[in-house]
């Protein structure tokens, strides 16, 4: 078991009577890219706000780096870099001045500004006022600001929101390179499964304030129960023959489906069909896409776990 | 705290805030220059016993509302730097306590207004000298009349800082501040417990220091209350 960077227990946030975040037990291990996934309004941002000390939990505890956030908030925040939703910046200042305003607060050496500017490739634009930046550049400046204090944990809330495809690609490459090159643990939230699928190693799915899935991305893919689709010449007769031979299969739209069949099971069915002189055109594996799993999980309103 | 202030001063670069700090005292002195220029004979006969005191009195008449409207605009502009792109969330997520963040904003307003009062002090001297009122300047009295109204206005600085920071919509703090300024024009007629009377330094004991003491004490209480409120509040 590797070291836990973030551990929340029964984390709850109430706005009035509604529980926006409801008994969330989040666990993020060191060196992972934790994809925090959920539809809009599921409680992702509220959870992240609580992790950053921007909002107080109504109930439950948050431990980061093994420290309690209620007791050692500043010590924790020193090791955390963050970018929450839309980038925050001071438009009238240049990129460099923006970083300088944060640098003096963090008390890191001036040379760090050049380092982070080159990481996000803004060195050339460092002397321009930020209000003239494109959204992608502002977002990159946000990442640079987050990296300024040499964080061990980077919390990014919807970092690809509003970016064009090339901006998204750039952001994704940047995020993926962090754990490798700088040994940083990352929590990245998104409402797009494809985003998380392409960068995360761990996934937490939240909907209506509850975590309904939390494990490695491989485990999530395994949930994609596969089935074998058979295309044969006389479907109805084939299905009946199989049934009389003791094989239960599904007949859907002129195809025969075998659910969760082991390799031997599938082989036996194929063999039986061949012996009864059916022509087998295709034997295909049908896998549910992650998108379908996600919809299935979130659609059932957290009744899964 | 020094680091917080450094950061605050970086953030007001290229903003009109610094211009405003000069504009306030410049406006007051400019208007009094026009006032004395146009009715020089009448005013000098009015104040013939003590020309300097006369001038300082006239300056104070304008400086009190200027301080009030000035601090309203100033606190709003300072808070708006963070409101514009909701930089609060970035600022509060840094390893700096929320108390220090709030204190930094309040201290910045205080320092800038202090500089304004200092400029008013020198401006009045220059105006008096150019009006040929002689060199027997009542420096201590002038110092008092430049800084006492500002110190007595501390409750408003605390209130406006709190309003400007806790509300994203700056129309509310600006309206309160402007209304306060207008009402304060009639401040001398109010009972002594009215904070809007304090910057005029008038009270039944005829001791300006009392107004200052009330102002500073009430200001501190309000400041501490808003400090606590800000540190408990969730950041949007």
């Amino acid at each position: 078991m590797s070291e836990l960077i973030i551990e929340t227990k029964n984390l709850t946030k109430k706005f009035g009577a509604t529980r926006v975040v409801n008994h969330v037990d989040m666990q993020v291990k060191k060196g992972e890219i934790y994809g925090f996934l959920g539809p809009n309004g599921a409680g992702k941002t509220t959870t992240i706000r609580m992790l950053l000390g921007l909002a107080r939990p109504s109930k439950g505890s948050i431990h980061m780096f093994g420290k309690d956030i209620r007791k050692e908030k500043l010590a924790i925040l020193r090791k955390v870099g963050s970018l929450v939703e839309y980038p925050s910046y001071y438009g009238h200042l240049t990129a460099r001045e923006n970083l300088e305003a944060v640098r003096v607060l963090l008390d890191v050496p001036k040379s760090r500004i050049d380092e982070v500017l080159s990481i996000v490739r803004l060195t050339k634009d460092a002397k321009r006022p930020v209000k003239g930046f494109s959204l992608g550049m502002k977002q990159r400046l946000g990442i640079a600001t987050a990296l300024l204090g040499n964080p061990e944990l980077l919390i990014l809330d919807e970092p690809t929101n509003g970016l064009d495809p090339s901006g998204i690609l750039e952001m994704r490459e940047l995020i993926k390179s962090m754990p490798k090159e700088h040994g940083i643990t990352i929590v990245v939230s998104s409402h797009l499964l494809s985003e998380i699928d392409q960068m995360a190693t761990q996934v937490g799915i939240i909907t209506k304030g509850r975590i309904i899935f939390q494990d490695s991305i491989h485990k999530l893919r395994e949930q994609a129960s596969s089935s074998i689709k058979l295309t044969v010449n006389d479907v109805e007769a084939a299905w009946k023959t199989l049934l009389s031979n003791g094989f239960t299969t599904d007949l859907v739209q002129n195809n025969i489906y075998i659910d969760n069949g082991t390799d031997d099971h599938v082989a036996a069915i194929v063999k039986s069909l061949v012996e009864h002189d059916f022509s087998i055109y295709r034997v295909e594996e049908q896998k549910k896409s992650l998108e379908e799993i996600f919809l299935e999980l979130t659609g059932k309103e957290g009744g899964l776990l | 705290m020094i680091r917080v202030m450094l950061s605050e001063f970086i953030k007001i670069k290229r903003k009109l805030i610094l211009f405003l700090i000069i504009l306030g005292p410049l406006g007051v002195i400019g208007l009094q220059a026009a006032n004395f220029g146009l009715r020089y004979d009448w005013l000098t006969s009015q104040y013939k016993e003590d020309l300097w005191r006369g001038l300082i009195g006239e300056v104070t008449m304008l400086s009190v509302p200027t301080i009030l409207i000035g601090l309203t605009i100033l606190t709003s502009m300072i808070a708006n730097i963070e409101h514009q792109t909701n930089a609060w969330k970035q600022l509060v997520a840094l390893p700096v306590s929320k108390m220090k963040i709030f204190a930094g904003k309040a201290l910045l307003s205080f320092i800038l207004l202090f500089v304004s009062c200092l400029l008013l002090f020198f401006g009045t001297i220059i105006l008096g000298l150019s009006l040929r009122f002689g060199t027997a300047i009542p420096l201590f009295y002038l110092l008092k009349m430049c800084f006492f109204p500002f110190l007595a206005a501390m409750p408003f600085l605390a209130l406006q800082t709190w309003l400007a920071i806790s509300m994203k919509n700056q129309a509310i703090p600006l309206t309160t501040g402007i209304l306060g300024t207008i009402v304060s024009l009639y401040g001398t007629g109010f009972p002594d417990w009215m904070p809007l009377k304090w910057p005029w330094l008038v009270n039944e004991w005829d001791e300006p220091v009392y107004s200052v003491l009330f102002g500073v004490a009430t200001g501190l209480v309000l400041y501490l209350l808003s400090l606590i409120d800000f540190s408990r509040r969730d950041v949007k």
Side-chain angles (χ1 to χ4, degrees):
Chain A
M1 192 68 182
S2 50
E3 191 190 335
L4 285 180
I5 296 287
I6 302 177
E7 188 176 23
T8 73
K9 284 204 182 94
N10 282 325
L11 190 63
T12 303
K13 178 77 183 176
K14 282 190 232 170
F15 288 140
T18 49
R19 284 161 195 250
V20 182
V21 173
N22 200 352
H23 297 287
V24 163
D25 296 327
M26 189 179 184
Q27 294 187 329
V28 179
K29 286 179 222 147
K30 196 182 165 90
E32 302 277 0
I33 300 183
Y34 184 96
F36 198 32
L37 191 62
N40 290 325
K44 296 188 298 283
T45 300
T46 310
T47 307
I48 284 174
R49 278 179 198 290
M50 286 191 280
L51 292 179
L52 292 172
L54 298 176
R56 285 159 176 259
S58 308
K59 229 167 64 187
S61 69
I62 301 174
H63 281 82
M64 289 161 91
F65 307 100
K67 293 173 180 151
D68 189 338
I69 200 163
R70 275 168 302 189
K71 292 183 194 118
E72 296 173 78
K73 189 170 108 179
L74 297 186
I76 291 172
L77 289 177
R78 174 147 284 284
K79 297 188 191 178
V80 180
S82 68
L83 176 66
V84 180
E85 285 179 308
Y86 298 97
S88 297
Y89 55 90
Y90 306 109
H92 59 289
L93 300 178
T94 66
R96 185 174 292 277
E97 285 163 341
N98 264 275
L99 291 167
E100 180 65 17
V102 175
R103 186 199 69 86
V104 293
L105 290 175
L106 291 168
D107 203 19
V108 289
K110 258 200 157 86
S111 59
R112 188 66 193 146
I113 290 183
D114 293 311
E115 287 170 36
V116 294
L117 278 171
S118 77
I119 292 175
V120 299
R121 293 193 307 286
L122 280 177
T123 312
K124 265 192 291 175
D125 301 286
K127 291 203 169 84
R128 274 173 53 200
V130 176
K131 61 183 165 207
F133 277 22
S134 70
L135 182 62
M137 291 165 80
K138 284 172 186 164
Q139 202 76 315
R140 290 209 309 256
L141 177 65
I143 300 260
T145 313
L147 288 172
L148 205 52
N150 283 309
E152 290 171 36
L153 169 67
L154 204 55
I155 297 181
L156 308 171
D157 188 16
E158 309 261 4
T160 54
N161 240 2
L163 295 186
D164 58 17
S166 73
I168 291 175
L169 187 76
E170 218 165 56
M171 187 63 69
R172 192 190 302 142
E173 292 309 314
L174 197 60
I175 293 169
K176 274 161 86 173
S177 68
M178 293 292 161
K180 274 181 241 144
E181 289 167 26
H182 309 275
I184 303 174
T185 308
I186 297 181
V187 172
V188 54
S189 87
S190 178
H191 58 272
L192 295 172
L193 181 82
S194 54
E195 269 315 306
I196 299 294
D197 189 24
Q198 288 175 72
M199 40 191 184
T201 53
Q202 291 278 312
V203 193
I205 298 180
I206 186 169
T207 183
K208 308 222 162 140
R210 281 174 182 277
I211 292 239
I212 53 168
F213 179 89
Q214 181 167 245
D215 214 322
S216 72
I217 188 103
H218 307 293
K219 284 269 167 56
L220 183 65
R221 294 209 183 99
E222 273 171 29
Q223 284 232 346
S225 51
S226 63
S227 60
I228 304 291
K229 177 175 134 186
L230 295 175
T231 319
V232 294
N233 55 346
D234 190 350
V235 188
E236 205 124 334
W239 181 70
K240 279 180 188 150
T241 313
L242 285 175
L243 201 60
S244 60
N245 283 294
F247 298 110
T248 22
T249 55
D250 295 320
L251 181 68
V252 185
Q253 289 177 338
N254 283 324
N255 286 306
I256 292 171
Y257 285 88
I258 312 162
D259 276 336
N260 300 315
T262 59
D263 289 350
D264 287 342
H265 188 63
V266 175
I269 288 172
V270 172
K271 192 179 168 205
S272 161
L273 286 174
V274 173
E275 278 168 0
H276 288 90
D277 275 338
F278 288 103
S279 306
I280 303 171
Y281 302 142
R282 277 178 204 86
V283 181
E284 295 167 281
E285 188 176 25
Q286 296 263 301
K287 236 183 168 148
K288 255 186 255 171
S289 70
L290 281 179
E291 206 71 43
E292 284 170 298
I293 306 168
F294 179 51
L295 285 175
E296 207 171 85
L297 284 169
T298 53
K300 285 180 184 164
E301 294 181 23
L304 251 143
L305 288 182
Chain B
M1 200 62 210
I2 292 167
R3 288 185 285 125
V4 175
M5 291 322 291
L6 264 173
S7 179
E8 288 299 329
F9 276 107
I10 293 172
K11 284 185 233 170
I12 58 169
K13 250 190 191 179
R14 284 197 288 280
K15 280 267 165 191
L16 282 176
I17 291 176
L18 291 174
F19 168 71
L20 201 70
I21 293 310
I22 302 165
L23 184 72
L26 200 70
V28 171
I29 299 300
L31 281 172
Q32 285 311 333
N35 184 20
F36 275 85
L38 289 171
R39 355 179 248 169
Y40 187 81
D41 294 331
W42 190 75
L43 283 171
T44 44
S45 71
Q46 281 294 103
Y47 298 128
K48 61 175 174 292
E49 281 120 62
D50 196 334
L51 289 170
W52 273 103
R53 275 183 182 254
L55 171 67
I56 294 166
E58 291 282 326
V59 165
T60 316
M61 292 266 280
L62 282 181
S63 78
V64 170
T66 310
I67 287 171
L68 290 178
I69 195 86
L71 72 84
T72 301
I73 299 171
L74 193 65
T75 48
S76 170
M77 282 177 87
I78 289 172
N80 216 21
I81 294 176
E82 311 290 341
H83 284 310
Q84 253 165 10
T85 61
N86 195 12
W88 292 110
K89 61 184 196 297
Q90 181 180 296
L91 192 56
V92 174
L94 291 172
V96 180
S97 77
K98 281 172 96 180
M99 293 251 187
K100 276 191 184 168
I101 292 171
F102 187 88
K105 296 278 173 206
L107 188 59
L108 181 66
S109 308
F110 183 89
I111 293 173
L112 292 175
L113 281 167
F114 188 88
V115 171
S116 266
C117 291
L118 205 63
L119 290 175
L120 184 70
F121 173 78
F122 290 116
T124 312
I125 294 179
I126 292 167
L127 179 62
L129 288 177
S130 40
L131 288 169
R132 297 178 199 289
F133 286 177
T135 47
I137 310 165
L139 279 179
F140 185 68
Y141 179 69
L142 175 60
L143 214 54
K144 244 171 45 174
M145 294 313 277
C146 283
F147 287 97
F148 275 15
F150 161 56
L151 292 173
M154 278 303 114
F156 303 99
L157 185 62
L159 179 75
Q160 290 299 133
T161 305
W162 176 67
L163 286 176
I165 287 179
S166 53
M167 290 176 193
K168 190 171 168 63
N169 182 357
Q170 292 300 300
I172 298 160
L174 285 175
T175 309
T176 342
I178 292 164
L179 279 179
T181 308
I182 295 168
V183 176
S184 83
L185 293 177
Y186 308 95
T188 43
F190 293 157
D192 277 349
W193 55 264
M194 267 291 286
L196 280 169
K197 188 182 183 180
W198 301 341
W200 294 104
L201 309 176
V202 193
N203 51 52
E204 61 172 303
W205 305 278
D206 226 3
E207 275 288 353
V209 181
Y210 287 179
S211 298
V212 174
L213 286 178
F214 292 149
V216 173
T218 316
L220 271 177
V221 171
L222 277 176
Y223 166 72
L224 288 175
L225 288 178
S226 25
L227 194 63
I228 293 165
D229 174 71
F230 179 76
S231 63
R232 297 176 73 96
R233 198 181 276 265
D234 283 356
V235 179
K236 283 264 164 60

